[in-house]
Amino acid sequence: MGKLGRYVPIGRRGDRVPPKAGPAKAGPKAHRRSTGRRAWSRLTPRSVAGQVFLLQLVVVLLLIATAVVALVIQDRNRAIHEAGDRSLAVAETFANAPGTAAAMKSKNPTAALQPHAEVVRKKTGVDYVVALSPYGFRWTHPDPDQIGKHVSTSYGAALGGEPHQTTFDSSLGKAVDSTVAVFDEKGDAVGLVTVGVTVDKVTSAVQHQLPVIFAAGGVALLLAAGGAALVSGRLRRQTGGLGPVEMTRMYEHHDAVLHAVREGVLILDGDGRLLLVNDEARRLLALPPEAEGRPVTGLGLSPDLAGLLGSGQEATDQVFLAGDVLLAVNVRPVGAKGGSVATLRDTTELRALAGRADVAGGRLRLLYEASTRIGTTLDVKRTAEELTEVAVPRFADFATVELVEPVLRGGEPRGESMEMHRTAVEGIRDDAPLRPVGTRMHYVPENPVTLGMTTGRPVLVAELATADGWRTQDPERAREVVEYGIHSMISVPLRARGQLLGVVEFWRSEQPPFELDDLSPAEELAARAAVCIDNARRYTREHITAVTLQRSLLPGVLPELSALEVGHRYLPAQAGVGGDWYDVIPLPGARVALVVGDVVGHGLHAAATMGRLRTAVHNFAALDLPPDEILGHLDDLIARIDEDAAAEAVTGATCLYAVYDPVSGRCVLARAGHPGPALVSPAGSVTFPDIPVAPPLGVGGGLPVETAELVLAADSRLVLYTDGLVEARGRDIDAGLDMLKEALAHTDGAAPDETCRAVLDAMLRTRSSDDVALLVARTRLLDPDQVAEWEVPDDPAAVSRIRAEATRRLEAWGLGEAAFTMELILSELVTNAIRYGGSPIGLRLLRDRDSLFCEVADGTSTSPHLRRAAITDEGGRGLFLVAQMSRRWGTRYTDRGKIIWAEQALDAGAAGDLSGLLLADLDLDMDMGMDL
């Protein structure tokens, strides 16, 4: 109390300043106010002891009142609790009683339930027992008039299986209502039971305790009176006669400075000694009771904190650790003698909040990363791997994903199947005893993973070592996992659109065990991944469908040809199928057409358009049109497709068409917007022949297409490809052509199929963003001995000589059995050329594998037509006989006229077929057939 003398009092009792004189107040109101103040002054204690006694009296009365109120509230709460227990017990007993569910499902629930409800109400002493339908209509009630009416209170929670209680004020006092649901054997809610109990007034406990409380209050008042007298005398001695007003003001000042703030306060002198410390500072620093007067460096504080306080230097919000408390310290110098005032603030809770904020921020960053890293591709397996990569090690030490088998193939999940395939595994180490990718998983019913898949909710296993259900799956594997150090796991089902796609498990070994707070981010990760996996699954299904369609439109097995040895490859794009295609079409005269095309775009529309173009090319090739005319017809076809398109038009198409003749080695090529071919000579040199390029199909506007002619040596390799092979993101076409040239240069002497493999390995180290078609053809030349040619004079008499020479050549080839048929075909075609054609006329016989070709050329472009002659006609049956005796026949136009050709099958039944035809043809003789 000696320090209190430093505060300057307002004034002493002997130095009171007399009141200033003022105008006299008169009147009855002023008199009444003066009388009231005097009465209050007489009732108010003037001494400190009287004021302390009055204060203690008030305190004791407050304590007594508080005790009485507490007893009343406690007893009332007890009564409410007991009423709630009674109503809940009666409601559950009535709901679970045998026959209750059956009665509620009967045709007249009121007749079955009302008597029982009233009996239960009377025997248990509750206020009412009411049975309700699931829709809230009363089946029973103490008041029969209320039966059938609707209850408007909330009972949704009770229908979900959770008892619902509510407390309300009724006309009889406070009451408790308990509502439970009644379930049938299928687990469906068939009704509700609600029971209410009125809380009786509580008086007995308070009445027994009041005498004790009042007795204790009286004793306290006696002790307070004696204590007040002692305190009054002591205060007068220590305060030097200060009155209550002065003491009150000093106390308020002292309390405001030292105790009203939620900070620790230290006052130090210039030598670093502690002069004054408040309770908060004493608590924060754990100071001993006798800390005042001692140097701050000797109070057991940390050296850094003690040095700062003892230095007296100004500091702002410097952070120090005092035991388990994190303090923010502020120091301000005061006074002329170098003293200082330090304030301390406890920031431990702020640190905890900051820690929780860091955890929440980490989870938000994890979820944000998941939204950007999961689902970057439309591949089911890769999406599952991305989920594990995001979770490890930010959220878990190990992560595994299992998917149902149909999902991996892009199909729809069928039912809640427990059969899974492990699709992805990721961990901080590679030696974990978890089952590897590709393992077929079948979860037993006791496994927590099964529980999560059936309920659709995440499941936490905080201690794997004590989880019996988890160990049941594979006891030996479970023992290895626990011994490895994996101690906790969260399993989350992967569900999308209400279907179970799979399950993801998060495992921890180095990090602290999973807690309930970890379920939310785990579920969020799984939800994001499930949507991406479902998208990838549906894309996979559509991709497989489109690829299947496209491959069905591409040639399955290419024909075996004498002219060429062919190798081919088709690779669909990573993002989906496209319109790239290729074809090898046999032509008359052992010639071969090579086609490579590309429809701009991807998807089913591009694949379908490609199929239409391939069909059109086959039809045009059957007419044996030159390459430039075929591309012109394709350009018109694309334009018509665009005009007829109802939804999506063709944005463009390219094509390269080449015809190779193995007799002469000539190859005629034409292209419309397509990359030119590469040519590998027999010596291994690679060149890119200059082929005139026309605009892409559909945008040519009727512009002519130019052709180029190459003479290819035997064993040359002609490489046809689409732009997806040489063009790629970040690589222009020139660089791609250089890479193709280098790749082909390293395939010296390789077969076409090996060439395709080597080119794709060199050009496409990763999956291309565009589909690729590649066609490699190695040329062959027919042996000159397989070809026979004659110049035919423009004289009908020369027919017999030509026929005889051709017969001798056929016999030299060992085709004597086919000579008779070929004589008829040759005679008809040569005779028609002499009669209706023009010079020069030529005949060529060509033998190729199982076919024999007869080609007759003349100098006119008039094309013969097949017709059926009438019975009275003397001619007109020649081409009909040619068509019947040959496998196929046709006309090919050249720059100098036309060529009529016929292909004869070299089989044993050719002559026999001819005999039957002649017998059926109106008894025509051989000479007439030859002279038609």
Side-chain angles (χ1 to χ4, degrees), residues 561-565 589-592 659-667 682 710-717 777-787 844 846-849:
L561 305 168
S562 301
L564 297 170
E565 179 185 359
R591 295 171 303 121
V592 181
V659 177
Y660 174 68
D661 187 353
V663 177
S664 61
R666 295 170 60 249
C667 183
L710 304 176
V711 178
L712 305 180
D715 290 331
S716 299
R717 283 174 289 168
R778 181 158 61 184
T779 61
R780 297 169 180 162
L781 293 177
L782 293 184
D783 190 339
D785 188 55
Q786 294 180 258
V787 182
R844 185 171 78 166
L846 187 148
R847 178 185 179 184
D848 178 32
R849 291 182 177 269

Side-chain angles (χ1 to χ4, degrees), residues 808-866:
R808 287 192 294 271
R809 175 55 64 93
L810 293 178
E811 291 175 351
W813 285 344
L815 303 177
E817 296 180 356
F820 180 72
T821 304
M822 181 54 66
E823 286 181 9
L824 294 178
I825 296 174
L826 181 151
S827 298
E828 172 62 26
L829 296 182
V830 172
T831 301
N832 282 343
I834 294 174
R835 180 176 299 177
Y836 303 111
S839 299
I841 301 174
L843 169 66
R844 185 171 78 166
L845 296 180
L846 187 148
R847 178 185 179 184
D848 178 32
R849 291 182 177 269
D850 62 345
S851 299
L852 179 63
F853 290 93
C854 175
E855 298 179 349
V856 177
D858 65 75
T860 65
S861 59
T862 304
S863 175
H865 297 283
L866 180 66

Side-chain angles (χ1 to χ4, degrees), residues 488-816:
S488 63
M489 180 265 287
I490 290 180
S491 173
V492 188
L494 297 171
R495 303 184 70 91
R497 300 183 297 110
Q499 295 180 324
L500 179 65
L501 307 179
V503 63
V504 57
E505 295 100 359
F506 303 103
W507 314 79
R508 280 187 179 178
S509 60
E510 304 293 337
Q511 301 183 45
F514 285 114
E515 299 177 349
L516 292 177
D517 291 342
D518 295 315
L519 291 177
S520 178
E523 190 172 14
E524 185 68 21
L525 281 175
R528 292 175 183 266
V531 173
C532 296
I533 290 175
D534 187 57
N535 291 337
R537 176 195 63 78
R538 288 189 285 179
Y539 168 78
T540 300
R541 179 185 60 193
E542 296 176 0
H543 180 71
I544 292 175
T545 303
V547 170
T548 303
L549 171 64
Q550 186 178 37
R551 291 193 181 278
S552 67
L553 296 175
L554 291 172
V557 179
L558 296 181
E560 295 184 4
L561 305 168
S562 301
L564 297 170
E565 179 185 359
V566 179
H568 57 91
R569 289 290 189 278
Y570 171 74
L571 296 179
Q574 182 178 10
V577 299
D580 289 15
W581 57 286
Y582 60 89
D583 214 337
V584 178
I585 306 173
L587 297 177
R591 295 171 303 121
V592 181
L594 302 175
V595 192
V596 174
D598 182 6
V599 177
V600 177
H602 296 88
L604 294 177
H605 180 71
T609 303
M610 175 269 291
R612 299 173 71 176
L613 288 179
R614 180 169 176 259
T615 302
V617 169
H618 270 269
N619 294 332
F620 294 143
L623 300 176
D624 211 350
L625 299 177
D628 52 343
E629 292 188 23
I630 287 182
L631 293 184
H633 288 303
L634 290 179
D635 183 70
D636 294 338
L637 175 63
I638 292 293
R640 289 196 299 271
I641 291 176
D642 286 344
E643 293 176 358
D644 299 338
E648 186 175 357
V650 181
T651 57
T654 64
C655 183
L656 187 149
Y657 192 93
V659 177
Y660 174 68
D661 187 353
V663 177
S664 61
R666 295 170 60 249
C667 183
V668 181
L669 304 95
R671 60 176 177 145
H674 201 85
L679 179 62
V680 184
S681 68
S685 61
V686 182
T687 58
F688 294 95
D690 185 14
I691 309 298
V693 60
L697 301 176
V699 298
L703 295 177
V705 180
E706 300 183 38
T707 60
E709 183 175 312
L710 304 176
V711 178
L712 305 180
D715 290 331
S716 299
R717 283 174 289 168
L718 190 64
V719 181
L720 283 68
Y721 51 88
T722 57
D723 56 358
L725 180 68
V726 294
E727 292 183 355
R729 184 175 300 174
R731 184 183 70 194
D732 58 16
I733 190 171
D734 293 333
L737 292 176
D738 292 339
M739 292 178 60
L740 177 59
K741 183 176 182 179
E742 183 179 357
L744 291 173
H746 291 82
T747 60
D748 186 19
D753 197 68
E754 296 174 352
T755 303
C756 291
R757 184 182 305 108
V759 168
L760 293 181
D761 291 342
M763 301 290 292
L764 304 177
R765 302 186 184 275
T766 59
R767 189 76 174 269
S768 175
S769 59
D770 192 8
D771 49 344
V772 176
L774 177 64
L775 188 64
V776 178
R778 181 158 61 184
T779 61
R780 297 169 180 162
L781 293 177
L782 293 184
D783 190 339
D785 188 55
Q786 294 180 258
V787 182
E789 294 182 297
W790 293 273
E791 292 184 2
V792 180
D794 190 6
D795 184 3
V799 175
S800 58
R801 178 180 61 82
I802 296 298
R803 184 170 61 246
E805 292 181 3
T807 302
R808 287 192 294 271
R809 175 55 64 93
L810 293 178
E811 291 175 351
W813 285 344
L815 303 177

Side-chain angles (χ1 to χ4, degrees), residues 26 100 158 302 387 447 476 484 491 559 618 735 737 793 804 820 843 853 898:
T100 300
S302 64
L387 170 59
N447 198 313
E476 182 62 25
Y484 183 79
S491 173
H618 270 269
L737 292 176
F820 180 72
L843 169 66
F853 290 93
K898 67 176 182 297

